[in-house]
Amino acid sequence: MIMRYIIIFILSIIFCANNVFAQKKMIQKDSLSNQLKEVVIIGAKKQQHNFIGKKQVKIGTSQIIKNPTNLTDLLRYNSPIALRDYGNGGISTARFRGTSASNTAVLWNGISINAIGSGQTDFNSLSASISDEIIVNSGGDSVESGSGAIGGTVELKDNLTFNEHKDFHLFSSYGSFNTTSNFFKTNIGTGKWALKFASTVNYSDNDYTFIDQRYKNNDGSLLKNDNGVYKNYGLNFSLGYQFSHKNKLYFYSTGYYGDRLFSDGLPNPAAGSERNEDFNQRNLLKWKYSFSNFTQTLNVAYLMQEYRYYDDKNAEEFTFGKSKNYNINYNLKYRFSNYLKISSSFIYDSNNGTTNEIIARERTFFAALAKVTYKPSERLTIATSVRKELNSDFKVPLVVSAAAEQEITDNLILKTNISTNYRVPTFNELYWPIVGNLDLKPESSIQGEIGASYKKKNIEITTSLFYIHLNDKILWLPTAASNLWRPRNVGDVVHQGIETFMNLSKEIGAHFFNFTMNYTFTLAKNKETDTFLPFAPKQLMNFNLDYTYKKATFFVQNLYQSKVYTNEINIDFYSLNALSVTNIGADFEVYQHNHKKLLIGIKVNNIFNEVYYFSNLRPMPGSNFNMNINYKF
Amino acid sequence: MKITKSIFKLFLLSLVFTACNDETAEIPEVSGRYDNGLIVSAEGAFGNKDGSISYVNNDLNRLATNFMYTGVNNAQLGGLVQSIAFTDTEAYVVLNDVNTIVVVDRFTFKKVTEIRTGLSNPRYMAFANGKGYVTNWGSGSDTTDDYLAVIDVSTNTIESTKISLDNGVERIVAKNSKLYVSHKGAFTSNNIISVVDVSANNAVAKIIVKDNPDELLFDVAGNLIVLSEGRPLSYGGAPDYAVLTSTTSSISFINVNDNTVTKEITFNDNERATQLSYNNGNVYYYMGSEKTVFSINESDTMLATDGISTGSIYGMAVKDNNLYTVSYNFTSLSKLIVTDLSSKQEIYTSPVGLGASKIYFN
């Protein structure tokens, strides 16, 4: 398995090295850049105010259709995030740079949607395919995104465009284990109005064979992922109205329903009987108005989410957790000149959460933010910001951030940022009966990052060295002389490493190649014990290599994750082996007229039939395939 | 172009750099025969399915052989190891969270078969009249579905008959075709010992003891000794969350001929014991508040005043003149400590699996 990985990796390195060193001789044709736009959605074109000095990866529709089954899969093959799921389709959590799942803030159009109970987001209970863009920002961002934005943020974005257009997109895939993933998107602009409507339906029997030969039935046959069925539905409706170029009103709304069984994995999948339902509904009204050099934006949001957990899938009774969240955000920007901008936000947020175990609790906060962006010269941009939050439950530290970007040449930018960030304990951590701990302190962190970004027409490389020092990390640990787990502040952890994104492309006659890669090297350690933190891989890499010839595209995807420990003992018995998974696929354009385009695709996942795990004894599927139709009109 | 090259080099360098990092040394997994020694079972962390088994020879002249089931079978047990029950030839490893019993050869620990049906939150197992009986909580939220699963040990298959019992079945011991089951109360509380007569159509009698009865042991004369831990009423703060107040804890002696409690040694209010062992006329009990193991003679009517300080432990056993304890540890490897009872000196210590909880003599 390792051999295969090495070969694939070396081949790709050779391939891209050739690309890098050969590209300067190439004459860049207009056709290339057009094609690039079509194939590559990644890469910020415009410098965005919020992301100065940071590393960002954007994921769009072209990636979604390659990994359509769930958000976990999509991010695994296209982002620097380490995801851990409890078997395919099970609960899934995300870690940036070796931080914990609750240090990853998930945003929906700018608003944090981490559950108030757990402080986390389950990446298998979100429909990614109806979002237009998924923006993955590495590094702390508590000034903007508040509690939990310590390791990084994942933002699901809906885009509304006013210019006259009518775009429809239908995608449908079907494959192994009776798995089907489908979405339909409409995006219309009339000049005055902008409208988006999207829907998604996903289903799978998910009854794949556990291909690990070490575990078998008494009769010698392999076990199956019993009790793993999932289905989910998502809807998205967004509307924008443009009174004038300077006065725009937007409304975003989305709903989701998911119904899953939780597999028990090895050694006894038949023991599984759990079921889980998720509901969520999110609404946002946004008004953006510019006058003279001011731009003001008012966001008013109402979000609700609920889960229902059934210990026995056939039973009526369930346990639940639900929350209602109101969020009002007023932002005022003032542009002195192209060189100096200031911005200030006032946020009011009220979150009301309850479970069958916790009586309704309310947490409110009011936060004020200020930010200055200054360009002392054409090539240097500096941004500093500060946030003060008054939280009804905790004394939240003042958080600050400072960032700079210096253009060295037209192609090379040096980036740096330093920030402080925090996470406030969640309702479960505080109030869960018997185990909740009212003495918890918020986690706080300081992080620094320095990196460079090199961009040319057919090459983009971004590399960052990062360092995160987190104080008062909250962990659930066994206590009370029993195997009963309670949260407590355990001390300091340090995360350091390097994160790299690379995109290379090359055209030779009618042959077009595109290569993207994310690579992260992380040392995440508990400072007291000097041991590695669990589920924080030292090395994490994924790449996508596409080859297009006329109307056909072939692609290879690979994910490599080095060994992870499952606790802080750091011995092999308590670890998951390194894994390398390769998928291949092909798309054929069968019809094209004007902007209508019909593609038919096929994909084989885990082509080498590797045995791999993201959680102990919860195996992932062996080789499997799907076919898809992708129609844009 | 130069800059492109140097960035690329930086990236390659990071790959090389990472390849040189060594892993922590591994604890050896050795296979062989695992008799004439101790078997220590470790629960593993709840939900992580990483329970394990260790072996230490009676001479205590080598460190424990850890993760030995994995070493022998090239597979993990795959669950929280609640307990192990032994027949003459086989060992039955009860995995609580995955509703499975792994049957292994008692001496080589090679897997024989797995029992994966008919179990629901299994806890402990005992043997009577050629059958195995396993206590099962049933669903954690249902206090009316506790039962004994019955296993035909000649075929290692579950029989269709279940013996329904009151809430919170825990330990089980067998004597003269009778089963004695303590009802610790699962997620709630109970205060009875059920007596199941397997030769009389599984008729059930009940004996009332103090709250949360757990360990069951027979003394030399054949009396049943029961440790009631008392029901926790309140807990202290972080990080230990020690039990502050509880109902009465006691050591009860039961005459099994007429199922009466003949003697009950009770602890002071809000003091409790959580571990019990018996060896050759002496009763050993562990009090978590003092992190100490005390001993009394079975004829005593009062509790002891001084004992052996052990630190926080999660399991113990006594044999010959030695006290065997495993430290309470769910974040690092537990420690097996052997203490000489007369000199009160530690004579042996070895790391064993995370969350070690039970010690058996094989």
Side-chain angles (χ1 to χ4, degrees):
Chain A
M1 169 180 152
I2 287 175
M3 222 32 231
R4 268 186 209 150
Y5 159 68
I6 291 169
I7 290 166
I8 291 167
F9 188 68
I10 289 171
L11 283 175
S12 15
I13 289 291
I14 292 167
F15 168 79
C16 52
N18 280 338
N19 246 320
V20 172
F21 302 120
Q23 57 93 19
K24 79 170 171 187
K25 289 176 206 143
M26 253 189 59
I27 302 154
Q28 281 146 358
K29 294 182 242 165
D30 284 338
S31 66
L32 173 63
S33 58
N34 285 341
Q35 215 159 352
L36 249 174
K37 262 183 214 153
E38 184 61 44
V39 181
V40 188
I41 311 285
I42 290 171
K45 297 281 176 285
K46 213 170 65 183
Q47 194 180 43
Q48 273 171 291
H49 190 68
N50 288 352
F51 308 120
I52 291 165
K54 284 191 182 155
K55 188 175 155 296
Q56 183 178 72
V57 171
K58 289 188 179 187
I59 299 167
T61 312
S62 67
Q63 283 85 23
I64 289 172
I65 58 172
K66 281 187 197 164
N67 297 97
T69 50
N70 53 48
L71 182 55
T72 304
D73 215 35
L74 179 65
L75 294 175
R76 250 178 205 151
Y77 289 96
N78 296 285
S79 81
I81 307 173
L83 288 120
R84 179 194 175 195
D85 51 10
Y86 287 73
N88 192 37
I91 288 175
S92 169
T93 55
R95 287 168 171 75
F96 277 94
R97 300 173 173 182
T99 59
S100 63
S102 51
N103 291 343
T104 302
V106 181
L107 312 171
W108 174 74
N109 292 311
I111 301 158
S112 173
I113 57 169
N114 281 15
I116 188 77
S118 66
Q120 305 175 1
T121 292
D122 175 359
F123 282 73
N124 281 340
S125 70
L126 284 172
S127 34
S129 53
I130 52 175
S131 296
D132 297 308
E133 229 178 5
I134 295 153
I135 301 173
V136 179
N137 285 305
S138 303
D141 189 31
S142 281
V143 171
E144 283 288 333
S145 308
S147 174
I150 287 176
T153 61
V154 177
E155 183 174 12
L156 306 172
K157 274 193 86 169
D158 300 311
N159 293 338
L160 286 171
T161 37
F162 290 101
N163 61 323
E164 274 192 41
H165 69 290
K166 266 187 197 171
D167 291 325
F168 302 95
H169 191 179
L170 177 70
F171 176 85
S172 180
S173 86
Y174 180 80
S176 304
F177 327 123
N178 199 20
T179 302
T180 177
S181 314
N182 312 278
F183 67 83
F184 175 67
K185 266 188 216 176
T186 305
N187 213 310
I188 297 171
T190 66
K192 278 278 171 206
W193 292 89
L195 172 114
K196 177 192 163 181
F197 172 80
S199 59
T200 181
V201 176
N202 304 288
Y203 175 87
S204 178
D205 286 345
N206 204 21
D207 55 347
Y208 55 92
T209 302
F210 294 159
I211 56 169
D212 192 333
Q213 299 285 333
R214 295 173 300 171
Y215 300 92
K216 287 179 177 172
N217 282 307
N218 287 329
D219 66 7
S221 62
L222 289 170
L223 295 138
K224 277 192 143 191
N225 193 42
D226 296 335
N227 209 60
V229 179
Y230 68 78
K231 61 178 177 217
N232 60 65
Y233 312 98
L235 271 179
N236 188 313
F237 174 75
S238 306
L239 193 63
Y241 184 74
Q242 184 165 239
F243 296 99
S244 73
H245 191 60
K246 295 188 160 186
N247 187 1
K248 295 170 187 173
L249 193 63
Y250 302 88
F251 174 70
Y252 302 90
S253 177
T254 187
Y256 175 87
Y257 171 73
D259 187 0
R260 280 180 292 176
L261 301 183
F262 286 152
S263 158
D264 210 48
L266 289 168
N268 187 5
S273 67
E274 297 162 292
R275 176 183 168 214
N276 191 77
E277 287 180 292
D278 289 288
F279 311 83
N280 58 57
Q281 222 272 307
R282 306 187 172 109
N283 308 286
L284 166 67
L285 188 65
K286 177 173 166 181
W287 178 47
K288 195 170 179 181
Y289 180 62
S290 308
F291 53 99
S292 71
N293 281 344
F294 288 97
T295 301
Q296 61 172 0
T297 311
L298 177 68
N299 283 303
V300 180
Y302 170 70
L303 299 85
M304 66 75 68
Q305 49 185 313
E306 178 175 357
Y307 71 81
R308 289 179 180 180
Y309 168 80
Y310 301 77
D311 188 39
D312 174 358
K313 64 185 171 189
N314 298 313
E316 293 285 309
E317 63 268 21
F318 56 83
T319 60
F320 67 91
K322 57 184 172 187
S323 67
K324 287 178 191 164
N325 180 205
Y326 300 90
N327 182 291
I328 300 166
N329 183 334
Y330 175 77
N331 173 269
L332 184 65
K333 286 190 181 79
Y334 182 75
R335 197 172 60 88
F336 285 98
S337 68
N338 282 339
Y339 302 103
L340 180 63
K341 291 170 201 163
I342 59 169
S343 161
S344 185
S345 292
F346 301 93
I347 305 168
Y348 171 79
D349 184 283
S350 157
N351 216 325
N352 186 304
T354 178
T355 78
N356 56 300
E357 300 278 2
I358 301 174
I359 52 161
R361 298 276 178 173
E362 177 134 344
R363 173 177 293 170
T364 55
F365 72 77
F366 174 77
L369 284 68
K371 187 174 212 167
V372 180
T373 312
Y374 177 52
K375 266 173 94 79
S377 74
E378 268 307 320
R379 289 186 179 276
L380 178 63
T381 309
I382 297 169
T384 58
S385 53
V386 58
R387 173 193 181 111
K388 179 60 198 167
E389 176 175 319
L390 301 170
N391 189 300
S392 60
D393 296 7
F394 285 95
K395 194 173 174 296
V396 172
L398 181 89
V399 286
V400 295
S401 108
E405 291 194 2
Q406 169 80 55
E407 280 181 46
I408 305 292
T409 69
D410 286 346
N411 305 113
L412 182 71
I413 303 170
L414 294 183
K415 300 178 171 193
T416 185
N417 78 73
I418 181 162
S419 65
T420 60
N421 304 286
Y422 67 96
R423 178 173 84 82
V424 176
T426 66
F427 283 3
N428 288 2
E429 288 165 342
L430 294 167
Y431 307 125
W432 199 266
I434 301 170
V435 297
N437 179 358
L438 288 167
D439 300 329
L440 290 174
K441 289 181 281 189
E443 294 179 348
S444 64
S445 81
I446 178 158
Q447 71 142 47
E449 189 170 337
I450 182 159
S453 170
Y454 180 81
K455 245 182 240 186
K456 258 196 161 175
K457 241 179 181 176
N458 51 2
I459 174 169
E460 181 187 347
I461 300 176
T462 305
T463 289
S464 272
L465 286 164
F466 61 85
Y467 180 89
I468 306 168
H469 186 125
L470 181 67
N471 292 310
D472 299 319
K473 187 180 175 75
I474 297 169
L475 280 181
W476 288 72
L477 296 169
T479 42
S482 71
N483 207 341
L484 178 75
W485 294 47
R486 303 186 71 161
R488 60 177 193 239
N489 295 100
V490 293
D492 294 8
V493 293
V494 166
H495 307 254
Q496 50 195 320
I498 185 165
E499 194 175 287
T500 299
F501 168 79
M502 191 189 287
N503 175 226
L504 308 162
S505 55
K506 180 167 168 97
E507 194 179 62
I508 309 166
H511 306 272
F512 179 77
F513 297 91
N514 187 64
F515 176 79
T516 54
M517 183 186 71
N518 291 286
Y519 172 77
T520 311
F521 172 73
T522 310
L523 296 174
K525 282 191 159 181
N526 180 331
K527 269 206 99 176
E528 263 165 62
T529 56
D530 196 38
T531 50
F532 289 104
L533 298 178
F535 298 102
K538 259 191 206 171
Q539 300 196 64
L540 183 69
M541 192 200 72
N542 57 56
F543 71 77
N544 283 267
L545 174 61
D546 295 9
Y547 163 62
T548 305
Y549 177 70
K550 291 184 178 166
K551 291 181 181 301
T553 299
F554 302 91
F555 64 90
V556 180
Q557 300 187 309
N558 177 269
L559 169 70
Y560 173 77
Q561 179 180 293
S562 63
K563 178 170 80 179
V564 294
Y565 295 112
T566 55
N567 58 33
E568 290 188 23
I569 299 176
N570 289 187
I571 59 174
D572 272 355
F573 182 77
Y574 302 106
S575 73
L576 303 175
N577 287 338
L579 61 92
S580 170
V581 189
T582 308
N583 309 326
I584 60 163
D587 291 317
F588 304 98
E589 194 181 294
V590 293
Y591 172 77
Q592 205 226 327
H593 182 69
N594 295 332
H595 80 302
K596 288 183 185 172
K597 203 168 171 185
L598 177 66
L599 295 129
I600 285 179
I602 181 158
K603 190 180 174 201
V604 182
N605 294 308
N606 192 7
I607 178 108
F608 298 122
N609 207 31
E610 294 287 350
V611 173
Y612 68 111
Y613 292 88
F614 292 101
S615 289
N616 189 33
L617 296 181
R618 296 179 183 275
M620 296 299 284
S623 292
N624 64 89
F625 78 97
N626 70 63
M627 294 185 311
N628 63 68
I629 309 174
N630 184 10
Y631 184 39
K632 290 180 187 172
F633 54 105
Chain B
M1 209 58 251
K2 240 180 161 177
I3 289 150
T4 320
K5 271 185 190 166
S6 49
I7 291 175
F8 202 70
K9 268 186 201 157
L10 176 69
F11 168 69
L12 284 178
L13 209 67
S14 72
L15 286 181
V16 174
F17 169 56
T18 58
C20 302
N21 267 287
D22 263 349
E23 300 305 329
T24 321
E26 189 63 355
I27 289 172
E29 294 170 7
V30 195
S31 64
R33 272 182 78 78
Y34 302 102
D35 51 359
N36 299 316
L38 304 170
I39 301 291
V40 179
S41 72
E43 289 181 358
F46 185 80
N48 282 7
K49 302 188 186 189
D50 55 8
S52 64
I53 299 175
S54 302
Y55 168 80
V56 180
N57 68 0
N58 278 340
D59 296 338
L60 302 176
N61 56 7
R62 282 183 50 187
L63 285 181
T65 304
N66 289 328
F67 320 120
M68 70 180 200
Y69 176 88
T70 304
V72 171
N73 297 286
N74 187 34
Q76 294 174 64
L77 281 158
L80 186 152
V81 181
Q82 180 62 42
S83 63
I84 308 178
F86 297 88
T87 63
D88 288 343
T89 53
E90 269 137 25
Y92 290 73
V93 183
V94 180
L95 304 179
N96 169 258
D97 54 345
V98 294
N99 298 339
T100 299
I101 292 176
V102 181
V103 186
V104 298
D105 181 285
R106 179 173 179 158
F107 302 112
T108 65
F109 271 77
K110 267 204 176 348
K111 186 172 110 176
V112 174
T113 188
E114 277 177 272
I115 299 165
R116 291 203 295 248
T117 54
L119 303 169
S120 179
N121 261 317
R123 306 290 296 173
Y124 294 87
M125 184 175 183
F127 303 94
N129 297 5
K131 284 178 183 171
Y133 295 86
V134 186
T135 54
N136 284 269
W137 282 359
S139 163
S141 52
D142 190 340
T143 58
T144 62
D145 64 347
D146 293 37
Y147 66 95
L148 298 182
V150 186
I151 293 167
D152 180 339
V153 293
S154 60
T155 59
N156 285 324
T157 51
I158 281 274
E159 297 196 344
S160 54
T161 43
K162 273 196 217 184
I163 304 168
S164 287
L165 291 177
D166 282 1
N167 179 41
V169 292
E170 189 75 1
R171 307 263 182 166
I172 181 166
V173 291
K175 194 162 199 110
N176 300 334
S177 63
K178 279 185 183 152
L179 301 168
Y180 299 85
V181 179
S182 61
H183 291 252
K184 193 177 178 183
F187 291 110
T188 56
S189 178
N190 207 340
N191 66 344
I192 57 169
I193 307 297
S194 287
V195 186
V196 181
D197 190 340
V198 296
S199 60
N201 209 14
N202 300 331
V204 180
K206 291 174 196 176
I207 308 165
I208 292 177
V209 292
K210 293 284 185 272
D211 288 347
N212 294 31
D214 191 350
E215 276 97 329
L216 300 173
L217 301 159
F218 287 105
D219 67 10
V220 174
N223 295 309
L224 183 66
I225 311 175
V226 183
L227 173 65
S228 290
E229 295 184 356
R231 172 165 44 101
L233 298 174
S234 68
Y235 294 90
D240 290 335
Y241 304 98
V243 174
L244 292 181
T245 58
S246 61
T247 59
T248 305
S249 172
S250 78
I251 300 169
S252 306
F253 296 76
I254 293 166
N255 179 336
V256 295
N257 297 319
D258 57 6
N259 291 343
T260 54
V261 178
T262 53
K263 181 165 78 176
E264 206 155 60
I265 304 176
T266 56
F267 289 81
N268 289 338
D269 286 355
N270 303 319
E271 287 184 6
R272 58 203 294 263
T274 52
Q275 303 279 345
L276 186 79
S277 285
Y278 175 85
N279 186 47
N280 198 24
N282 290 319
V283 176
Y284 299 84
Y285 59 93
Y286 167 74
M287 292 177 72
S289 55
E290 303 181 36
K291 297 179 177 160
T292 299
V293 172
F294 298 92
S295 82
I296 53 171
N297 190 274
E298 61 191 334
S299 61
D300 288 351
T301 53
M302 300 284 283
L303 292 166
T305 48
D306 55 49
I308 297 169
S309 175
T310 56
S312 190
I313 64 168
Y314 199 51
M316 73 172 192
V318 178
K319 195 184 178 192
D320 301 331
N321 197 38
N322 288 340
L323 168 69
Y324 301 82
T325 57
V326 281
S327 64
Y328 168 75
N329 215 326
F330 282 89
T331 50
S332 57
L333 293 175
S334 301
K335 226 191 228 177
L336 169 71
I337 296 169
V338 185
T339 307
D340 184 301
L341 282 169
S342 21
S343 69
K344 298 190 179 179
Q345 295 297 307
E346 237 177 72
I347 56 170
Y348 175 84
T349 175
S350 170
V352 288
L354 175 143
S357 69
K358 304 286 181 312
I359 300 158
Y360 303 95
F361 300 100
N362 201 21

